[in-house]
Amino acid sequence: MKYILYNPKANNGEKPEYLEGAEYKEVIGLDYQAFFDGLNEEDEVVLVGGDGTLNYFINAVDTDNIKNNVYLKKSGSGNDFLNDLDIHYDREVLLNDVIKNLPTVYVNGMEKKFINGIGYGIDGYCCEKADEMKASGYTGKIDYTGIAIKGLLFHFKKKKADVRVDGKEYHYDQVWLAPSMKGKYYGGGMCIAPAQDRKSGKLSFVVYHCRSKLKALIVFPNIFKGTHIEHKEMVEIHEGKEIEVTFNEPCALQIDGETVLNVTTYKVKV
């Protein structure tokens, strides 16, 4: 038997037309312990959705001890995870190995696993503004690049950052971005950590810092191609298993696209 898990909040609440004879269950509110305990060994589970649905799943399930095969079926607009796996066509992707030993972020008294990355700085700011647009009733496609450009020029205030990576300490002024990445991509195709290997057991901490707004704006589009790292005077990357970042004043943070407001510090561990 195949079980199809779907997110009722995705795709305008429409139930996916996927496989005749399969049993459909909503991913939100499901008792996962009882669900997996009730499966036969040969049963398979297909998760239909994008990065947000996948993030919900990995935080609701003990992903290190799943006995049945679990697949991801692409749906929705956010697919940085599949982009990182270099999968650009429509098929089921076996998840069991890639959702084991995931990193955890500790922020504002909560802890969550993540599959792609933590965004802190103007990337978190973009998610915050997008949430505000959705809450106001906006139903169109969100122009995150446009939000970022306006933030760079007018609204987002650069931060000072104290950083610790596996015990080594760094300090940066004029910080625009300070993400920690499990994969290469976040934000709908931004290749922020092009050398990151999600199988390496380490994370990539990226700091994008620059005094000049104009230069930060000129280089910013290169993030989509991963060529921003050529600007070593303003982009540094540190690899590690434990990363802690503290800003001098709070701003928004995003976890696989989910916004957390008023964050001063975060810590991630593999």
PDB file of all heavy atoms in Angstrom, residues 45-77:
ATOM      1  N   VAL A  45       5.601   5.334   1.785  1.00  0.00           N
ATOM      2  CA  VAL A  45       5.017   6.636   2.095  1.00  0.00           C
ATOM      3  C   VAL A  45       5.562   7.656   1.099  1.00  0.00           C
ATOM      4  O   VAL A  45       6.771   7.722   0.861  1.00  0.00           O
ATOM      5  CB  VAL A  45       5.364   7.076   3.535  1.00  0.00           C
ATOM      6  CG1 VAL A  45       4.796   8.465   3.815  1.00  0.00           C
ATOM      7  CG2 VAL A  45       4.841   6.065   4.544  1.00  0.00           C
ATOM      8  N   VAL A  46       4.666   8.457   0.519  1.00  0.00           N
ATOM      9  CA  VAL A  46       5.062   9.506  -0.414  1.00  0.00           C
ATOM     10  C   VAL A  46       4.649  10.848   0.162  1.00  0.00           C
ATOM     11  O   VAL A  46       3.466  11.092   0.411  1.00  0.00           O
ATOM     12  CB  VAL A  46       4.420   9.308  -1.803  1.00  0.00           C
ATOM     13  CG1 VAL A  46       4.860  10.429  -2.758  1.00  0.00           C
ATOM     14  CG2 VAL A  46       4.804   7.953  -2.380  1.00  0.00           C
ATOM     15  N   LEU A  47       5.622  11.703   0.377  1.00  0.00           N
ATOM     16  CA  LEU A  47       5.382  13.051   0.870  1.00  0.00           C
ATOM     17  C   LEU A  47       5.270  13.973  -0.333  1.00  0.00           C
ATOM     18  O   LEU A  47       6.204  14.095  -1.125  1.00  0.00           O
ATOM     19  CB  LEU A  47       6.540  13.484   1.771  1.00  0.00           C
ATOM     20  CG  LEU A  47       6.441  14.832   2.476  1.00  0.00           C
ATOM     21  CD1 LEU A  47       5.301  14.825   3.480  1.00  0.00           C
ATOM     22  CD2 LEU A  47       7.759  15.157   3.172  1.00  0.00           C
ATOM     23  N   VAL A  48       4.124  14.617  -0.507  1.00  0.00           N
ATOM     24  CA  VAL A  48       3.891  15.499  -1.646  1.00  0.00           C
ATOM     25  C   VAL A  48       4.015  16.950  -1.179  1.00  0.00           C
ATOM     26  O   VAL A  48       3.250  17.403  -0.327  1.00  0.00           O
ATOM     27  CB  VAL A  48       2.494  15.266  -2.262  1.00  0.00           C
ATOM     28  CG1 VAL A  48       2.274  16.211  -3.446  1.00  0.00           C
ATOM     29  CG2 VAL A  48       2.352  13.815  -2.706  1.00  0.00           C
ATOM     30  N   GLY A  49       4.999  17.666  -1.716  1.00  0.00           N
ATOM     31  CA  GLY A  49       5.173  19.050  -1.307  1.00  0.00           C
ATOM     32  C   GLY A  49       6.550  19.586  -1.646  1.00  0.00           C
ATOM     33  O   GLY A  49       7.312  18.962  -2.386  1.00  0.00           O
ATOM     34  N   GLY A  50       6.862  20.742  -1.077  1.00  0.00           N
ATOM     35  CA  GLY A  50       8.148  21.385  -1.292  1.00  0.00           C
ATOM     36  C   GLY A  50       8.925  21.493   0.002  1.00  0.00           C
ATOM     37  O   GLY A  50       8.754  20.683   0.918  1.00  0.00           O
ATOM     38  N   ASP A  51       9.767  22.509   0.103  1.00  0.00           N
ATOM     39  CA  ASP A  51      10.656  22.653   1.248  1.00  0.00           C
ATOM     40  C   ASP A  51       9.890  22.832   2.558  1.00  0.00           C
ATOM     41  O   ASP A  51      10.283  22.286   3.586  1.00  0.00           O
ATOM     42  CB  ASP A  51      11.582  23.851   1.037  1.00  0.00           C
ATOM     43  CG  ASP A  51      12.537  23.640  -0.129  1.00  0.00           C
ATOM     44  OD1 ASP A  51      12.980  22.496  -0.335  1.00  0.00           O
ATOM     45  OD2 ASP A  51      12.832  24.616  -0.838  1.00  0.00           O
ATOM     46  N   GLY A  52       8.796  23.601   2.538  1.00  0.00           N
ATOM     47  CA  GLY A  52       8.036  23.828   3.756  1.00  0.00           C
ATOM     48  C   GLY A  52       7.395  22.560   4.281  1.00  0.00           C
ATOM     49  O   GLY A  52       7.422  22.286   5.486  1.00  0.00           O
ATOM     50  N   THR A  53       6.815  21.763   3.388  1.00  0.00           N
ATOM     51  CA  THR A  53       6.205  20.494   3.785  1.00  0.00           C
ATOM     52  C   THR A  53       7.256  19.538   4.315  1.00  0.00           C
ATOM     53  O   THR A  53       7.042  18.837   5.310  1.00  0.00           O
ATOM     54  CB  THR A  53       5.479  19.861   2.585  1.00  0.00           C
ATOM     55  OG1 THR A  53       4.494  20.776   2.094  1.00  0.00           O
ATOM     56  CG2 THR A  53       4.803  18.560   2.967  1.00  0.00           C
ATOM     57  N   LEU A  54       8.413  19.514   3.662  1.00  0.00           N
ATOM     58  CA  LEU A  54       9.503  18.637   4.097  1.00  0.00           C
ATOM     59  C   LEU A  54      10.007  19.050   5.475  1.00  0.00           C
ATOM     60  O   LEU A  54      10.289  18.204   6.333  1.00  0.00           O
ATOM     61  CB  LEU A  54      10.631  18.679   3.063  1.00  0.00           C
ATOM     62  CG  LEU A  54      11.828  17.769   3.301  1.00  0.00           C
ATOM     63  CD1 LEU A  54      11.397  16.319   3.480  1.00  0.00           C
ATOM     64  CD2 LEU A  54      12.812  17.876   2.138  1.00  0.00           C
ATOM     65  N   ASN A  55      10.130  20.360   5.713  1.00  0.00           N
ATOM     66  CA  ASN A  55      10.577  20.824   7.027  1.00  0.00           C
ATOM     67  C   ASN A  55       9.588  20.430   8.113  1.00  0.00           C
ATOM     68  O   ASN A  55       9.985  20.022   9.212  1.00  0.00           O
ATOM     69  CB  ASN A  55      10.779  22.341   7.018  1.00  0.00           C
ATOM     70  CG  ASN A  55      11.201  22.874   8.370  1.00  0.00           C
ATOM     71  OD1 ASN A  55      10.369  23.254   9.193  1.00  0.00           O
ATOM     72  ND2 ASN A  55      12.499  22.889   8.612  1.00  0.00           N
ATOM     73  N   TYR A  56       8.302  20.549   7.817  1.00  0.00           N
ATOM     74  CA  TYR A  56       7.292  20.139   8.796  1.00  0.00           C
ATOM     75  C   TYR A  56       7.451  18.653   9.115  1.00  0.00           C
ATOM     76  O   TYR A  56       7.417  18.244  10.278  1.00  0.00           O
ATOM     77  CB  TYR A  56       5.884  20.411   8.263  1.00  0.00           C
ATOM     78  CG  TYR A  56       4.804  20.040   9.266  1.00  0.00           C
ATOM     79  CD1 TYR A  56       4.367  20.964  10.207  1.00  0.00           C
ATOM     80  CD2 TYR A  56       4.256  18.768   9.279  1.00  0.00           C
ATOM     81  CE1 TYR A  56       3.392  20.615  11.141  1.00  0.00           C
ATOM     82  CE2 TYR A  56       3.300  18.413  10.209  1.00  0.00           C
ATOM     83  CZ  TYR A  56       2.866  19.339  11.134  1.00  0.00           C
ATOM     84  OH  TYR A  56       1.913  18.975  12.064  1.00  0.00           O
ATOM     85  N   PHE A  57       7.655  17.836   8.092  1.00  0.00           N
ATOM     86  CA  PHE A  57       7.766  16.388   8.267  1.00  0.00           C
ATOM     87  C   PHE A  57       8.969  16.018   9.125  1.00  0.00           C
ATOM     88  O   PHE A  57       8.861  15.211  10.050  1.00  0.00           O
ATOM     89  CB  PHE A  57       7.866  15.720   6.891  1.00  0.00           C
ATOM     90  CG  PHE A  57       7.972  14.223   6.949  1.00  0.00           C
ATOM     91  CD1 PHE A  57       6.836  13.438   7.122  1.00  0.00           C
ATOM     92  CD2 PHE A  57       9.200  13.589   6.814  1.00  0.00           C
ATOM     93  CE1 PHE A  57       6.928  12.052   7.173  1.00  0.00           C
ATOM     94  CE2 PHE A  57       9.305  12.216   6.856  1.00  0.00           C
ATOM     95  CZ  PHE A  57       8.168  11.439   7.039  1.00  0.00           C
ATOM     96  N   ILE A  58      10.139  16.595   8.837  1.00  0.00           N
ATOM     97  CA  ILE A  58      11.354  16.194   9.565  1.00  0.00           C
ATOM     98  C   ILE A  58      11.310  16.610  11.026  1.00  0.00           C
ATOM     99  O   ILE A  58      12.030  16.033  11.856  1.00  0.00           O
ATOM    100  CB  ILE A  58      12.635  16.759   8.902  1.00  0.00           C
ATOM    101  CG1 ILE A  58      12.655  18.292   8.942  1.00  0.00           C
ATOM    102  CG2 ILE A  58      12.794  16.219   7.487  1.00  0.00           C
ATOM    103  CD1 ILE A  58      13.956  18.911   8.446  1.00  0.00           C
ATOM    104  N   ASN A  59      10.467  17.599  11.359  1.00  0.00           N
ATOM    105  CA  ASN A  59      10.338  18.011  12.750  1.00  0.00           C
ATOM    106  C   ASN A  59       9.207  17.294  13.475  1.00  0.00           C
ATOM    107  O   ASN A  59       9.093  17.416  14.700  1.00  0.00           O
ATOM    108  CB  ASN A  59      10.146  19.527  12.828  1.00  0.00           C
ATOM    109  CG  ASN A  59      11.450  20.277  12.675  1.00  0.00           C
ATOM    110  OD1 ASN A  59      12.274  20.309  13.582  1.00  0.00           O
ATOM    111  ND2 ASN A  59      11.661  20.866  11.504  1.00  0.00           N
ATOM    112  N   ALA A  60       8.407  16.543  12.736  1.00  0.00           N
ATOM    113  CA  ALA A  60       7.304  15.800  13.346  1.00  0.00           C
ATOM    114  C   ALA A  60       7.628  14.314  13.502  1.00  0.00           C
ATOM    115  O   ALA A  60       6.950  13.606  14.246  1.00  0.00           O
ATOM    116  CB  ALA A  60       6.038  15.955  12.503  1.00  0.00           C
ATOM    117  N   VAL A  61       8.689  13.854  12.827  1.00  0.00           N
ATOM    118  CA  VAL A  61       8.988  12.430  12.743  1.00  0.00           C
ATOM    119  C   VAL A  61      10.410  12.170  13.246  1.00  0.00           C
ATOM    120  O   VAL A  61      11.315  12.990  13.050  1.00  0.00           O
ATOM    121  CB  VAL A  61       8.857  11.946  11.276  1.00  0.00           C
ATOM    122  CG1 VAL A  61       9.244  10.491  11.135  1.00  0.00           C
ATOM    123  CG2 VAL A  61       7.438  12.168  10.780  1.00  0.00           C
ATOM    124  N   ASP A  62      10.621  11.012  13.868  1.00  0.00           N
ATOM    125  CA  ASP A  62      11.970  10.555  14.216  1.00  0.00           C
ATOM    126  C   ASP A  62      12.612  10.023  12.938  1.00  0.00           C
ATOM    127  O   ASP A  62      12.557   8.834  12.640  1.00  0.00           O
ATOM    128  CB  ASP A  62      11.898   9.466  15.288  1.00  0.00           C
ATOM    129  CG  ASP A  62      13.271   8.947  15.692  1.00  0.00           C
ATOM    130  OD1 ASP A  62      14.293   9.503  15.219  1.00  0.00           O
ATOM    131  OD2 ASP A  62      13.329   7.980  16.475  1.00  0.00           O
ATOM    132  N   THR A  63      13.221  10.926  12.174  1.00  0.00           N
ATOM    133  CA  THR A  63      13.712  10.571  10.836  1.00  0.00           C
ATOM    134  C   THR A  63      14.896   9.605  10.861  1.00  0.00           C
ATOM    135  O   THR A  63      15.209   8.995   9.839  1.00  0.00           O
ATOM    136  CB  THR A  63      14.130  11.841  10.069  1.00  0.00           C
ATOM    137  OG1 THR A  63      15.086  12.579  10.842  1.00  0.00           O
ATOM    138  CG2 THR A  63      12.917  12.721   9.793  1.00  0.00           C
ATOM    139  N   ASP A  64      15.548   9.451  11.998  1.00  0.00           N
ATOM    140  CA  ASP A  64      16.689   8.530  12.085  1.00  0.00           C
ATOM    141  C   ASP A  64      16.253   7.074  12.218  1.00  0.00           C
ATOM    142  O   ASP A  64      17.075   6.164  12.078  1.00  0.00           O
ATOM    143  CB  ASP A  64      17.585   8.893  13.270  1.00  0.00           C
ATOM    144  CG  ASP A  64      18.274  10.234  13.089  1.00  0.00           C
ATOM    145  OD1 ASP A  64      18.583  10.571  11.926  1.00  0.00           O
ATOM    146  OD2 ASP A  64      18.486  10.940  14.084  1.00  0.00           O
ATOM    147  N   ASN A  65      14.968   6.841  12.490  1.00  0.00           N
ATOM    148  CA  ASN A  65      14.518   5.473  12.770  1.00  0.00           C
ATOM    149  C   ASN A  65      13.283   5.073  11.967  1.00  0.00           C
ATOM    150  O   ASN A  65      12.465   4.287  12.443  1.00  0.00           O
ATOM    151  CB  ASN A  65      14.235   5.319  14.277  1.00  0.00           C
ATOM    152  CG  ASN A  65      15.491   5.458  15.109  1.00  0.00           C
ATOM    153  OD1 ASN A  65      16.381   4.611  15.054  1.00  0.00           O
ATOM    154  ND2 ASN A  65      15.578   6.534  15.886  1.00  0.00           N
ATOM    155  N   ILE A  66      13.146   5.589  10.764  1.00  0.00           N
ATOM    156  CA  ILE A  66      12.034   5.210   9.895  1.00  0.00           C
ATOM    157  C   ILE A  66      12.352   3.875   9.225  1.00  0.00           C
ATOM    158  O   ILE A  66      13.418   3.715   8.616  1.00  0.00           O
ATOM    159  CB  ILE A  66      11.765   6.289   8.826  1.00  0.00           C
ATOM    160  CG1 ILE A  66      11.295   7.589   9.496  1.00  0.00           C
ATOM    161  CG2 ILE A  66      10.722   5.806   7.821  1.00  0.00           C
ATOM    162  CD1 ILE A  66      11.101   8.739   8.519  1.00  0.00           C
ATOM    163  N   LYS A  67      11.443   2.920   9.315  1.00  0.00           N
ATOM    164  CA  LYS A  67      11.671   1.582   8.751  1.00  0.00           C
ATOM    165  C   LYS A  67      11.148   1.451   7.314  1.00  0.00           C
ATOM    166  O   LYS A  67      11.676   0.658   6.537  1.00  0.00           O
ATOM    167  CB  LYS A  67      10.990   0.521   9.629  1.00  0.00           C
ATOM    168  CG  LYS A  67      11.399   0.570  11.093  1.00  0.00           C
ATOM    169  CD  LYS A  67      12.892   0.356  11.278  1.00  0.00           C
ATOM    170  CE  LYS A  67      13.269   0.363  12.766  1.00  0.00           C
ATOM    171  NZ  LYS A  67      14.726   0.239  12.965  1.00  0.00           N
ATOM    172  N   ASN A  68      10.118   2.203   6.983  1.00  0.00           N
ATOM    173  CA  ASN A  68       9.531   2.112   5.640  1.00  0.00           C
ATOM    174  C   ASN A  68      10.199   3.097   4.696  1.00  0.00           C
ATOM    175  O   ASN A  68      10.766   4.104   5.123  1.00  0.00           O
ATOM    176  CB  ASN A  68       8.035   2.412   5.700  1.00  0.00           C
ATOM    177  CG  ASN A  68       7.281   1.450   6.574  1.00  0.00           C
ATOM    178  OD1 ASN A  68       7.250   1.611   7.793  1.00  0.00           O
ATOM    179  ND2 ASN A  68       6.644   0.451   5.973  1.00  0.00           N
ATOM    180  N   ASN A  69      10.144   2.801   3.409  1.00  0.00           N
ATOM    181  CA  ASN A  69      10.660   3.746   2.418  1.00  0.00           C
ATOM    182  C   ASN A  69       9.757   4.978   2.368  1.00  0.00           C
ATOM    183  O   ASN A  69       8.532   4.863   2.260  1.00  0.00           O
ATOM    184  CB  ASN A  69      10.718   3.110   1.029  1.00  0.00           C
ATOM    185  CG  ASN A  69      11.899   2.177   0.879  1.00  0.00           C
ATOM    186  OD1 ASN A  69      12.833   2.191   1.684  1.00  0.00           O
ATOM    187  ND2 ASN A  69      11.878   1.365  -0.160  1.00  0.00           N
ATOM    188  N   VAL A  70      10.394   6.152   2.424  1.00  0.00           N
ATOM    189  CA  VAL A  70       9.677   7.423   2.350  1.00  0.00           C
ATOM    190  C   VAL A  70      10.226   8.211   1.165  1.00  0.00           C
ATOM    191  O   VAL A  70      11.444   8.371   1.020  1.00  0.00           O
ATOM    192  CB  VAL A  70       9.840   8.249   3.641  1.00  0.00           C
ATOM    193  CG1 VAL A  70       9.111   9.587   3.514  1.00  0.00           C
ATOM    194  CG2 VAL A  70       9.318   7.480   4.849  1.00  0.00           C
ATOM    195  N   TYR A  71       9.326   8.694   0.313  1.00  0.00           N
ATOM    196  CA  TYR A  71       9.711   9.401  -0.902  1.00  0.00           C
ATOM    197  C   TYR A  71       9.169  10.829  -0.862  1.00  0.00           C
ATOM    198  O   TYR A  71       8.182  11.118  -0.181  1.00  0.00           O
ATOM    199  CB  TYR A  71       9.155   8.698  -2.145  1.00  0.00           C
ATOM    200  CG  TYR A  71       9.619   7.281  -2.325  1.00  0.00           C
ATOM    201  CD1 TYR A  71       8.946   6.225  -1.711  1.00  0.00           C
ATOM    202  CD2 TYR A  71      10.731   6.986  -3.117  1.00  0.00           C
ATOM    203  CE1 TYR A  71       9.372   4.905  -1.873  1.00  0.00           C
ATOM    204  CE2 TYR A  71      11.159   5.673  -3.288  1.00  0.00           C
ATOM    205  CZ  TYR A  71      10.481   4.647  -2.657  1.00  0.00           C
ATOM    206  OH  TYR A  71      10.912   3.353  -2.815  1.00  0.00           O
ATOM    207  N   LEU A  72       9.801  11.698  -1.626  1.00  0.00           N
ATOM    208  CA  LEU A  72       9.300  13.056  -1.826  1.00  0.00           C
ATOM    209  C   LEU A  72       8.838  13.198  -3.264  1.00  0.00           C
ATOM    210  O   LEU A  72       9.570  12.856  -4.202  1.00  0.00           O
ATOM    211  CB  LEU A  72      10.389  14.088  -1.538  1.00  0.00           C
ATOM    212  CG  LEU A  72       9.994  15.565  -1.769  1.00  0.00           C
ATOM    213  CD1 LEU A  72       8.919  15.994  -0.775  1.00  0.00           C
ATOM    214  CD2 LEU A  72      11.206  16.474  -1.660  1.00  0.00           C
ATOM    215  N   LYS A  73       7.625  13.692  -3.441  1.00  0.00           N
ATOM    216  CA  LYS A  73       7.084  14.012  -4.751  1.00  0.00           C
ATOM    217  C   LYS A  73       6.991  15.521  -4.861  1.00  0.00           C
ATOM    218  O   LYS A  73       6.302  16.173  -4.070  1.00  0.00           O
ATOM    219  CB  LYS A  73       5.690  13.390  -4.915  1.00  0.00           C
ATOM    220  CG  LYS A  73       4.986  13.723  -6.219  1.00  0.00           C
ATOM    221  CD  LYS A  73       5.592  13.016  -7.410  1.00  0.00           C
ATOM    222  CE  LYS A  73       4.710  13.215  -8.641  1.00  0.00           C
ATOM    223  NZ  LYS A  73       5.292  12.579  -9.832  1.00  0.00           N
ATOM    224  N   LYS A  74       7.687  16.101  -5.821  1.00  0.00           N
ATOM    225  CA  LYS A  74       7.789  17.550  -5.964  1.00  0.00           C
ATOM    226  C   LYS A  74       6.427  18.193  -6.143  1.00  0.00           C
ATOM    227  O   LYS A  74       5.609  17.764  -6.945  1.00  0.00           O
ATOM    228  CB  LYS A  74       8.686  17.870  -7.160  1.00  0.00           C
ATOM    229  CG  LYS A  74       8.829  19.351  -7.457  1.00  0.00           C
ATOM    230  CD  LYS A  74       9.734  19.546  -8.666  1.00  0.00           C
ATOM    231  CE  LYS A  74       9.860  21.005  -9.045  1.00  0.00           C
ATOM    232  NZ  LYS A  74      10.734  21.201 -10.234  1.00  0.00           N
ATOM    233  N   SER A  75       6.215  19.265  -5.376  1.00  0.00           N
ATOM    234  CA  SER A  75       5.009  20.064  -5.516  1.00  0.00           C
ATOM    235  C   SER A  75       5.282  21.406  -4.857  1.00  0.00           C
ATOM    236  O   SER A  75       6.102  21.512  -3.955  1.00  0.00           O
ATOM    237  CB  SER A  75       3.810  19.383  -4.846  1.00  0.00           C
ATOM    238  OG  SER A  75       2.651  20.171  -4.954  1.00  0.00           O
ATOM    239  N   GLY A  76       4.598  22.438  -5.292  1.00  0.00           N
ATOM    240  CA  GLY A  76       4.784  23.753  -4.698  1.00  0.00           C
ATOM    241  C   GLY A  76       5.909  24.526  -5.357  1.00  0.00           C
ATOM    242  O   GLY A  76       6.550  24.066  -6.307  1.00  0.00           O
ATOM    243  N   SER A  77       6.175  25.719  -4.821  1.00  0.00           N
ATOM    244  CA  SER A  77       7.133  26.627  -5.452  1.00  0.00           C
ATOM    245  C   SER A  77       8.525  26.553  -4.854  1.00  0.00           C
ATOM    246  O   SER A  77       9.506  26.901  -5.507  1.00  0.00           O
ATOM    247  CB  SER A  77       6.624  28.077  -5.339  1.00  0.00           C
ATOM    248  OG  SER A  77       6.413  28.412  -3.976  1.00  0.00           O
TER     249      SER A  77
END
